[in-house]
Amino acid sequence: MDLGLRGKPAVVAAASQGLGKAIAWELAREGARLAICSRDEGRIRAAAEAIREDTGAEVHPFVCDLSREDEVATFVSQAAKALGGVDILVTNAGGPHPGHFEDVDDAAWYATYDLTYLSAVRLIREALPHLKRAGHGRIVVMTSISVKQPIPDLILSNAIRMSVVGMAKSLVPDVGPHGITVNVVCPGYVGTTRTKELFAARAEREGTSSEAVEEDLVRVVPLGRTGEPREVGALVAFLASERASYLTGNLIQIDGGLYRGVF
């Protein structure tokens, strides 16, 4: 299937590793031209080089702390300049720290608000003029299955990510007349460094091994395994494509069947 992504300028945030990198890689395989960012200059340059070598795609790496308004504005401006515009935006950021309600203080709440919520708001705000000019823009907002089914020991993620969904859903009717779609992707347990860190933290707390924690959690996944980052990347590439031109305002989980709700 030709997704119609060849030559499309795409901006992917937090793409030096994990899901962001997998998404950028999949877009590159489909022929998109990329701008990617990370706080770590070495990692983002290495990711860009690896994607270029594998796909032959045009990839521009930038350093950006997504919790800082000025750096987000600079990143999107530089990305648009390097790519000649923005047709596709994937909002993404590192996950909040784990913890129960009584484990986190105001500083943690504010930090999560800046990184998880305001990063998405600011990326969209800066990219929107470019997406409107494109006339067929795609916004894909990365969240977590926690917005449909709260995850134990992730109070910060469970709470703040729901605000991201509210913002994204509210955006749909505002940008639809400009040909822009907005969809939210909700991954479950996917084999990334972030997931392994969460397994390790829970294992330490419970006095067991990361392997035992993973086995226990995967037991309730109907497909019986964690997902692969490339599988999430493939979904995002489709949502960013011409083939998804009538899909907007959706929350799409990719979780191996973990979520059991009807809606």
Side-chain angles (χ1 to χ4, degrees):
M1 180 188 293
D2 182 3
L3 295 181
L5 288 171
R6 189 156 302 281
K8 298 288 187 183
V11 173
V12 183
S16 67
Q17 60 182 341
L19 294 183
K21 184 177 180 181
I23 291 164
W25 213 306
E26 198 66 31
L27 290 170
R29 287 193 183 101
E30 295 295 329
R33 299 160 49 238
L34 295 173
I36 59 177
C37 77
S38 167
R39 285 179 296 186
D40 189 307
E41 183 174 6
R43 281 184 177 176
I44 199 64
R45 289 188 179 278
E49 184 60 30
I51 294 170
R52 281 194 213 105
E53 288 184 1
D54 181 60
T55 66
E58 176 185 341
V59 187
H60 301 273
F62 296 95
V63 176
C64 175
D65 181 343
L66 291 166
S67 68
R68 293 181 57 89
E69 181 179 9
D70 57 336
E71 294 195 22
V72 172
T74 299
F75 166 54
V76 176
S77 174
Q78 290 177 334
K81 183 177 180 180
L83 297 172
V86 179
D87 282 24
I88 298 160
L89 171 68
V90 181
T91 75
N92 183 46
H97 291 294
H100 294 279
F101 183 86
E102 293 178 306
D103 298 331
V104 296
D105 57 13
D106 280 4
W109 283 107
Y110 282 121
T112 303
Y113 177 74
D114 282 342
L115 180 62
T116 303
Y117 179 73
L118 281 182
S119 68
V121 170
R122 289 163 176 165
L123 285 164
I124 294 169
R125 179 193 295 142
E126 297 298 328
L128 208 48
H130 305 286
L131 293 164
K132 286 181 177 179
R133 280 195 288 272
H136 50 259
R138 301 283 184 267
I139 299 173
V140 182
V141 178
M142 300 304 297
T143 58
S144 163
I145 195 62
S146 67
V147 303
K148 289 195 166 191
Q149 183 169 283
I151 299 172
D153 194 35
L154 286 179
I155 182 67
L156 294 170
S157 177
N158 295 340
I160 300 298
R161 289 192 193 277
M162 289 187 182
S163 300
V164 177
V165 172
M167 178 272 296
K169 291 284 286 185
S170 300
L171 187 63
V172 171
D174 293 340
V175 301
H178 300 279
I180 299 169
T181 66
V182 184
N183 290 290
V184 179
V185 174
C186 313
Y189 297 122
V190 180
T192 64
T193 300
R194 157 79 171 171
T195 302
K196 289 179 172 59
E197 288 172 350
L198 292 176
F199 289 166
R202 178 168 169 177
E204 183 176 357
R205 197 168 54 252
E206 296 179 357
T208 185
S209 67
S210 294
E211 293 75 18
V213 168
E214 181 172 358
E215 182 179 343
D216 182 55
L217 292 174
V218 167
R219 190 177 294 117
V220 299
V221 177
L223 289 184
R225 63 177 177 87
T226 55
E228 297 182 19
R230 64 177 179 81
E231 294 173 309
V232 178
L235 171 60
V236 174
F238 175 74
L239 292 173
S241 77
E242 292 180 357
R243 297 285 185 164
S245 56
Y246 203 57
L247 278 171
T248 193
N250 298 286
L251 274 69
I252 304 173
Q253 69 259 20
I254 177 166
D255 63 353
L258 175 64
Y259 177 66
R260 304 301 176 88
V262 176
F263 300 107

